[in-house]
Amino acid sequence: MFGVCVSVFCFLLVLASMTSGSVEEENPEFWRSAAQNTLRSALARKINTNVAKNIVLFLGDGMGVTTITAARILKGQLQKRSGEETVMNMDTFPYVGLAKVYSVDFQIPDSAATATAYLCGVKANLNTLGVSAAARNGVCRSQKGNEVTSILRWAKDAGKSVGIVTTTRVQHATPAASYAHSASRTWYSDSDLPSSAVTGGCVDIASQMLRNTDIDVIIGGGRKYMTPKGFPDPEYPADLSAQGQRKDNRSLIDEWLSMKEGKVARYVWNKRDFDAVDPEKTDYLMALFEPGDLRFDVERDPSMDPSISETTEKAIQILKKNPKGFFLLVEGGRIDQGHHDSRASMALHEAVALDEAVARGLELTNEEETLTIVTADHSHAFTFNGYPFRGNSILGKSPIFASDFLPYTTLMYGNGPGHKIVDNKRPDLRGVDTADKDYVQQSAVPLETETHGGEDVALLARGPMAHLFQGVYEQNYIAHAMAYAACIGANQQHCAATAEPDGIPYSSTDPGSSAPDTPLCAMTTVILSVLMSVLLH
C-alpha cells in the first residue's frame, strides 16, 4: 500500500509540474526582479512622524493569519486568477507586527477580553468588557470601581468625532468594549440581566451605548435590544424572535434622537433611507439594519442592507467633517461567526468584504494624517493543509487522498460541528460541492461550535507612527500606541512642539504637513529608534 501511495504522489507531482504557474514564473529573472522591486520599496520607505489626526481601526473578528492567507487566495480566484499571488489591500501596509492575544485567565481568549485589551489598553478576563481583570465574569458587584475607558472615549474627550461600524449587533463584544463596562458580554438589554445584576445596579450594554459616550456614528445591527418587549420589528413584523426585548419599556432609539436636540440626527433601518442620508448635513447617524447581527455578505439583500464598504464610507464622510479629526472602529464581525459554524466559505467571503472596506477607507483618507490599522482579536482552529496544486480552489479538495482512501478539503478545523464519523469512517466527499456557502468543513474533534485559536494575530499599519506597531507585543499595547500616535489619552508629553526630557518632539505642529529638513527632524528619528527598542522589549 505504501508503494502505491508513493507512486500516486510522484505522479501527482509530475502532473503539478505540468500545470504550475505561468511561463514567466519559470524564469529566475521574474522572481529576482520582483524581489528587487520589493527591496527598493522597503529602502525608500520613510517614517511618518506626523500626529495622527484620524485613526481607522479595521478589526477582523477571528481573522487569524490562516484566514488572511485563504481569503487572499479566494479574492484572487473570484477575479478568475490563480489566487496565491493576489495582493490584498491590507497586504500593502508597510508595517507588520504580531499581537499576543491570551487573556488574564485563559490561554485562548474571547472577543470581549481581547477588545478590552486593544481598545482600553489593559488585559481582562474572559467574557468581560470595559473592565479590568479585577472584575469577574458575570459578577455584577465585581465591576464597580474596575471600569476602564477606551480609545474611543479618549478621542471623544480630545474633541474628535467617533464612530463604530460592525456587521454584528452594535451591542456585541467588539463594539461594546469601546463604550460599555460589563461583567458579562451577554447583557445586551435589560432582559438579559440576571436578578443579581439588577439588584447590584448594573446597566445593560444597549443603555450604556447612550449614556457613557456621545458616539457620532453607530452602524450595525441590534434593533431588538433597543425597543420595548414585544415591539414589532419594522422589517420582520410577524417574526416573534425579531421583536423588541426590553423589559423596561424604553425605546432607546427615540431616547437617542431626543438627546440630539439642536443637532441633525438620523436613525435609519434600511438601505433606501441610509442612502438618503447626506453626510454634509448630518451630525449623528444611527443605522440598525437587522434585529440582531447583519446577514452574511453572500446572503445580504443589497436592496435592504448596505455592504461594509458602504457603511464605512458613510461613517468616514460624516466623521471627517470635524477639523480635530476622528476615531472609527470598523469590525468585520461575521468572519468569526462563519468559523464557529465551520463554514469556511462564509468566513472567507466576510474577510474579502472587509478588505474591500479597507480599500474604501484608504481612498477617503490621507495617509499623511490618518493612521490605518488592520488586525484581528484572535484566530480560530482553522488549518490550510494538504498538497493542493497551484490555483486549486481554496474551498476545494486536496488531490491526494488520505490513508483511508477518501478525499479531504485543504481547509479544515481542529474541532467543530464538522466531525462526522459513521461506522468508523469519514464522509466521502467525492461528488460533494465543498465550495458551497453552507458546506461544513470536517473537523478532528466533535463540538457544537468551533472554538477560537490562541496563536498571535497579525497587525498591519500605515500612516502616522505606523512603525510603532512592528515587532511582537501584548495586545493591550495597541491602544497605547494608537493614543500615542494621535496625541490623545494620558501619554502626551511628546506632543509639544519642542522636545521634552522624556518625550519626542514632533517636527511639525500641523498634523497634515510634511516634516521640514531640520536638525530637529534628524533628532526625532534618532530618539524614535531608541524609544522603539524600549517599547518592544
Side-chain angles (χ1 to χ4, degrees), residues 43 50 152 524:
L43 291 171
N50 293 335
L152 180 139
T524 299

Side-chain angles (χ1 to χ4, degrees), residues 346-417:
M346 287 296 201
L348 298 186
H349 278 89
E350 291 294 306
V352 171
L354 179 65
D355 191 60
E356 292 168 354
V358 170
R360 196 71 191 108
L362 295 178
E363 292 168 0
L364 293 167
T365 56
N366 179 356
E367 185 176 356
E368 288 302 303
E369 64 179 16
T370 302
L371 172 63
T372 304
I373 292 172
V374 180
T375 190
D377 46 359
H378 53 74
S379 66
H380 277 266
F382 184 52
T383 64
F384 181 17
N385 61 151
Y387 293 98
F389 298 143
R390 176 77 178 273
N392 193 66
S393 170
I394 190 62
L395 298 169
K397 305 156 195 167
S398 171
I400 304 173
F401 284 14
S403 57
D404 58 3
F405 299 103
L406 293 174
Y408 62 94
T409 54
T410 56
L411 297 178
M412 303 175 71
Y413 291 91
N415 58 56

Side-chain angles (χ1 to χ4, degrees), residues 220-241:
R223 289 192 296 255
K224 65 182 179 181
Y225 306 110
M226 308 288 285
T227 55
K229 195 170 187 64
F231 187 84
D233 185 80
E235 189 174 359
Y236 314 104
D239 186 349
L240 298 181
S241 66

